[in-house]
Amino acid sequence: MSDEAVIIPKKARVSEIARIAGVGTATVDRVLNNRSNVKPETRQRVLQAKHAIESGAQLDQPARPWRLKIFLPEEAGPSTEFLGNCFQNVFTNGRATVECVFSTKLEPSVLARKLRACAGQGIDAVGFQALDDPRVRDAVEELHGLNIPCIPVVSDLISPVLGQFVGTDNMAAGRTAAYFMGRMLRQSGTVGVISGEQLYRNHSDREMGFRSALRRDFSHLRVVGTYIGHDDVQENRVVVGQMLDEHPGLLGIYNVGGGNEGIVAALADRDLTGEIMLIGHNLTPKTRNYLLDGSMDLVIHQNMQRIAEQAVQTLIATLENRPHQAEVVPVEVITRENINGATFG
């Protein structure tokens, strides 16, 4: 029998959590029951204390926890909402609090303004889903000058002050979509691309990878154009209708962004469900159902929990001047045949 001590998990009492988190028992009760009127950083501290007690971990706190702020686009679909929840629940062992804020979708001026405001809020480091716009780039470089490091997540931004990006290789994701479309569609014909907006570098990288792989390996397929739907369900439904009117006989559609529901509806409007190959991104409850009922053929997926954990770890390491290289989050391929056990988000 091993002489090693066996750690038996225990259930944390409200009073213990309150003592370690430095809050009242009423606040702990509100957090544990998911009630409102609790600041994000307080909620984070309570959950960290609970985790430490139940796991037997020791809270290793600096003089004060680092304050991290994350900006994600609002009304950007279930994957982004899930990512926000992942950020709020990353366990930092007491080293940081994480506040996730949603900014107006596809509005670079709003994102730039919110980034700059961090300088007056005592924020130590920032993570953000980037919009590829000079105003956003200027705000990031201004924060860098104030020793507030920034890291883009999900969608990258090119700037000399940004050392790391946390997310998937989006060019590879686009090439993966092209590989499956090219192998599964053997006859010659046309395919179309739906994009949210060129402000998202991950969208443009996916499209670039998709187009380049088709040109290189699958010349029997020709991309007829890129239709912009702004990741909006109703807009996607309209632009797919236009695409079908302008290109009868279309063989496939690759959606590099969100709003898959609108594309599925547009194909159903024309009784083309299952007739036109549809590849999209991110496994959610809706895209899972689309795979199962044949509305979609393939989902290119990125693990949002992993992105949140990598981003927080990288920001903390940067603040503590420790070497740390964020891992590239793998490109996953989900079909209805391997969907059991696949993680949403």
Side-chain angles (χ1 to χ4, degrees):
M1 183 174 178
S2 172
D3 292 330
E4 294 181 3
V6 177
I7 298 176
I8 302 175
K10 61 179 289 189
K11 184 174 177 61
R13 296 195 301 271
V14 169
S15 58
E16 289 180 293
I17 298 171
R19 177 178 57 80
I20 292 176
V23 299
T25 56
T27 299
V28 174
D29 182 73
R30 285 199 297 273
V31 171
L32 297 183
N33 289 286
N34 202 28
R35 298 195 184 102
S36 57
N37 300 321
V38 180
K39 292 181 180 179
E41 56 267 30
T42 303
R43 179 176 183 274
Q44 179 85 0
R45 199 160 67 243
V46 168
L47 293 177
Q48 287 173 357
K50 179 177 183 291
H51 183 280
I53 294 167
E54 294 181 344
S55 66
Q58 295 296 315
L59 282 174
D60 181 20
Q61 294 184 336
R64 71 165 176 84
W66 301 111
R67 289 189 61 193
L68 311 182
K69 198 160 190 174
I70 310 297
F71 293 98
L72 299 176
E74 66 182 1
E75 298 180 356
S79 289
T80 304
E81 292 176 9
F82 181 77
L83 177 59
N85 290 331
C86 291
F87 269 113
Q88 292 290 178
N89 291 306
V90 171
F91 179 64
T92 68
N93 201 26
R95 304 203 69 78
T97 60
V98 182
E99 179 184 0
C100 190
V101 174
F102 289 87
S103 180
T104 307
K105 183 174 71 174
L106 299 174
E107 288 289 349
S109 61
V110 175
L111 177 58
R113 185 173 67 250
K114 290 190 174 187
L115 287 169
R116 283 194 172 90
C118 291
Q121 298 171 352
I123 301 300
D124 295 300
V126 174
F128 67 109
Q129 184 168 330
L131 294 173
D132 196 1
D133 184 274
R135 289 164 291 184
V136 175
R137 192 175 295 108
D138 187 64
V140 167
E141 292 173 3
E142 184 176 312
L143 289 179
H144 175 77
L146 297 170
N147 294 317
I148 300 175
C150 298
I151 291 179
V153 301
V154 179
S155 189
D156 202 359
L157 180 71
I158 302 302
S159 168
V161 305
L162 291 174
Q164 297 202 56
F165 161 68
V166 178
T168 60
D169 180 340
N170 285 294
M171 290 277 285
R175 291 195 299 270
T176 301
Y179 175 81
F180 279 92
M181 193 168 282
R183 295 289 293 179
M184 296 173 73
L185 298 176
R186 307 301 294 181
Q187 71 272 41
S188 297
T190 56
V191 297
V193 175
I194 304 294
S195 180
E197 176 62 69
Q198 298 306 313
L199 286 171
Y200 286 133
R201 191 175 180 87
N202 62 334
H203 288 194
S204 57
D205 283 352
R206 290 168 184 172
E207 181 185 351
M208 194 182 307
F210 180 75
R211 286 176 176 269
S212 64
L214 285 185
R215 284 195 305 270
R216 183 188 64 200
D217 298 323
F218 306 103
S219 57
H220 65 285
L221 294 178
R222 179 175 62 87
V223 180
V224 297
T226 301
Y227 289 69
I228 304 298
H230 299 104
D231 288 347
D232 181 80
V233 171
Q234 292 306 318
E235 283 193 55
N236 276 357
R237 190 171 190 171
V238 171
V239 298
V240 169
Q242 293 173 351
M243 180 188 290
L244 296 173
D245 288 337
E246 294 167 7
H247 304 284
L250 195 75
L251 298 177
I253 296 174
Y254 174 40
N255 181 24
V256 303
N260 288 300
E261 184 179 355
I263 302 173
V264 168
L267 294 178
D269 291 341
R270 310 290 183 101
D271 292 324
L272 291 173
T273 301
E275 299 297 318
I276 293 178
M277 185 176 187
L278 176 56
I279 297 178
H281 280 264
N282 296 333
L283 186 66
T284 68
K286 283 187 177 179
T287 56
R288 181 183 189 276
N289 289 336
Y290 296 151
L291 288 173
L292 291 174
D293 68 18
S295 300
M296 292 183 72
D297 298 278
L298 205 73
V299 167
I300 309 294
H301 187 57
Q302 55 189 335
N303 188 310
M304 294 299 188
Q305 181 68 48
R306 197 163 176 176
I307 288 175
E309 290 171 354
Q310 283 289 314
V312 170
Q313 290 170 12
T314 304
L315 287 169
I316 293 174
T318 300
L319 289 166
E320 297 177 351
N321 296 312
R322 291 185 285 104
H324 177 81
Q325 181 61 50
E327 298 175 3
V328 177
V329 177
V331 175
E332 301 178 30
V333 178
I334 310 294
T335 73
R336 69 181 184 183
E337 301 300 336
N338 69 338
I339 202 168
N340 285 342
T343 304
F344 290 146

